[in-house]
């Protein structure tokens, strides 16, 4: 079995060693731009992250393409360069769910328990009790209740926070008030105090966090974006924070990453910035998942995580 591997990650050897340990029969070829030998090798599978178009152009020999992440926006952007009938398989949690749950719980609790304000007080040696926010007024609304959204919801439920979700298809999930579709969005937003974006970036969801959407949240709402920078109209968020409609935001993803030095977000203390680290791809979880799926495909079995190219996720 031949596998093409491509990742901008610096730890390629560790990935190769991990795959070889579990699949000694496989021949792994690292694809590098301009390497014609690798381009000419017929292969059964490709395992990759943010590939250049040249890697996949005309590769109808592949049985499947494994995406080394949950989001497939970067690969689907290749459009007609993608071989039409080759399934694309995304990572299915693979250790990202618990990381997302940690990240979002931290951001929600920090805002709810007023830690930002206590930190400010500390800088001027102030000992001042701040009345807590009431839990029943602290509904967390999660946009996207897929693999990662569900883990976030389960973590927040542990703190007895009211949780609601918004998805494309109707859902019924224990302990969660579920909304769906364009018709359900306004009602979902009007009762959401902390908005968490865990959507895939598609033509339907791009710019969803714009002035129109964010204005439908109650005054004083808080935003957490752990999905993609393309979801957020950045200047519109800034204007809503400055007007007081939005209290602040925790943002892990941006239109341009790394966030440019001159970006106004850096100067807005009500915005917490992290460098796209909410949930990273973990080698020790991803390799066994992919190997398990390759073995299942070789036996002719169906696998989870196959991307619906029309839906865009
Ligand atoms: P997923 O399992 O595919 O779930 C996607 C959810 O979004 C589903 O609930 C889906 O609805 C909903 N959705 C999609 N399009 C929609 C639309 N037009 N309207 C309403 N709901 C819509 O994805 P996931 O594994 O949870 O990952 C979500 C995203 O997180 C990824 O695509 C990626 O961009 C991002 N991510 C970020 C990081 C980071 O470190 N910041 C790490 C990993 C992933 P249905 O349930 O009805 O299909
Ligand atoms: C990371 O952002 C991912 O989509 O896995």
């Amino acid at each position: 079995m031949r596998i093409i591997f491509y990742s901008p990650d610096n730890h390629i050897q560790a990935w190769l060693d991990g795959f070889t340990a579990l699949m000694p029969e496989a021949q792994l070829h690292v694809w590098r731009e301009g390497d014609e030998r690798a381009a000419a090798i017929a292969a059964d599978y490709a395992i990759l992250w943010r590939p250049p178009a040249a890697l996949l152009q005309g590769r109808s020999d592949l049985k499947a393409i494994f995406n080394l992440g949950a989001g497939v926006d970067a690969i689907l952007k290749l459009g007609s360069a993608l071989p039409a009938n080759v399934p694309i398989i995304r990572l299915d949690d693979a250790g990202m769910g618990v990381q997302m749950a940690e990240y979002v719980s931290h951001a929600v609790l920090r805002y709810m328990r007023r830690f930002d304000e206590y930190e400010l007080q500390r800088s001027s040696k102030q000992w001042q009790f701040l009345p807590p926010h009431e839990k029943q007024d602290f509904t967390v609304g999660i946009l996207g209740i897929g693999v990662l959204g569900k883990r976030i919801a389960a973590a927040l439920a542990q703190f007895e926070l009211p949780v609601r979700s918004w998805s494309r298809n109707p859902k019924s999930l224990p302990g969660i008030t579920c909304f769906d579709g364009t018709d359900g969005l306004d009602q979902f937003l009007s009762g959401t105090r902390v908005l968490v974006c865990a959507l895939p970036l598609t033509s339907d969801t791009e710019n969803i966090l714009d002035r129109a959407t964010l204005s439908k949240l109650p005054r004083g709402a808080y935003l957490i974006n752990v999905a993609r920078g393309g979801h957020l109209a950045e200047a519109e968020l800034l204007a809503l924070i400055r007007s007081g409609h939005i209290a602040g935001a925790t943002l892990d993803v941006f239109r341009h990453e790394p966030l440019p030095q001159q970006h106004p977000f850096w100067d807005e203390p009500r915005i917490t910035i992290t460098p796209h680290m909410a949930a990273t791809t973990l080698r020790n979880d991803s390799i066994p998942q992919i190997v398990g799926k390759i073995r299942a495909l070789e036996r002719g079995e169906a696998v989870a995580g196959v991307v619906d190219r029309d839906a865009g996720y």
Side-chain angles (χ1 to χ4, degrees):
M1 179 190 303
R2 284 184 168 167
I3 297 176
I4 300 172
F5 183 85
Y6 174 82
S7 168
D9 185 340
N10 293 328
H11 303 100
I12 288 196
Q13 194 55 49
W15 280 99
L16 301 181
D17 293 346
F19 279 113
T20 306
L22 292 190
M23 248 187 336
E25 75 279 19
Q27 292 175 37
L28 283 135
H29 299 274
V30 178
W31 193 95
R32 290 192 179 86
E33 197 94 45
D35 178 353
E36 276 151 28
R37 195 188 58 89
I41 290 167
D44 301 285
Y45 297 98
I47 302 173
L48 42 78
W49 180 239
R50 296 183 186 280
L55 196 165
L56 290 168
Q57 199 102 44
R59 297 297 323 218
S60 47
D61 52 330
L62 297 173
K63 296 181 198 166
I65 299 168
F66 287 91
N67 182 59
L68 282 175
V72 289
D73 43 300
I75 189 168
L76 292 185
K77 220 165 49 187
L78 299 180
S80 59
L82 285 173
N85 298 319
V86 178
I88 299 169
I89 302 170
R90 46 151 295 175
L91 281 183
D92 206 359
D93 193 318
M96 284 189 267
V98 67
Q99 297 177 70
M100 274 295 181
E102 290 161 3
Y103 184 101
V104 174
S105 299
H106 175 266
V108 171
L109 297 177
R110 194 174 117 191
Y111 175 51
M112 188 183 85
R113 298 299 305 270
R114 309 182 72 165
F115 281 108
D116 287 341
E117 294 165 82
Y118 285 119
E119 271 169 35
L120 270 179
Q121 287 190 14
R122 193 203 183 284
S123 57
S124 55
K125 300 186 182 171
Q126 255 191 82
W127 179 279
Q128 172 73 51
F129 177 78
L130 300 169
H133 295 294
E134 297 292 337
K135 252 184 200 167
Q136 67 268 23
D137 301 334
F138 232 83
T139 299
V140 182
I142 307 173
L143 291 166
I145 194 81
V147 174
L148 302 179
K150 284 198 188 95
R151 288 298 298 263
I152 295 168
L156 295 172
Q158 296 290 310
F159 302 110
E160 299 169 8
L161 283 160
V163 176
R164 53 177 53 194
S165 68
W166 184 70
S167 54
R168 198 159 66 97
N169 302 292
K171 301 242 180 307
S172 168
L173 300 167
I176 303 177
T177 311
C178 299
F179 299 83
D180 61 84
T182 318
D183 293 347
L185 185 58
D186 285 6
Q187 208 193 339
F188 163 86
L189 293 168
S190 66
T192 289
R193 178 69 185 270
V194 181
L195 182 67
V196 179
C197 182
L199 288 166
L201 183 64
T202 69
S203 54
D204 290 335
T205 66
E206 188 164 11
N207 284 322
I208 190 167
L209 303 172
D210 63 0
R211 181 191 300 276
T213 302
L214 298 174
S215 300
K216 288 173 186 154
L217 295 166
R219 193 172 176 80
Y222 192 87
L223 173 69
I224 300 169
N225 187 15
V226 289
R228 286 289 184 265
H231 288 120
L232 177 64
E234 295 182 341
E236 296 179 18
L237 170 68
L238 211 48
L240 287 165
I241 289 179
R242 288 177 179 161
S243 76
H245 186 79
I246 299 291
T250 294
L251 306 176
D252 183 52
V253 285
F254 303 89
R255 283 188 179 260
H256 300 287
E257 295 178 2
L259 188 65
Q261 290 291 309
Q262 70 283 7
H263 198 289
F265 281 174
W266 289 115
D267 297 319
E268 176 44 73
R270 288 163 289 190
I271 296 180
T272 296
I273 294 166
T274 54
H276 200 145
M277 48 60 85
T280 58
T281 294
L282 303 175
R283 269 196 310 274
N284 289 347
D285 295 72
S286 308
I287 292 172
Q289 181 175 111
I290 293 171
V291 171
K293 287 185 182 184
I294 289 177
R295 298 224 186 281
L297 291 173
E298 290 293 308
R299 291 192 298 269
E301 294 166 10
V303 296
V306 178
V307 171
D308 174 347
R309 291 198 200 187
D310 293 331
Y313 67 102

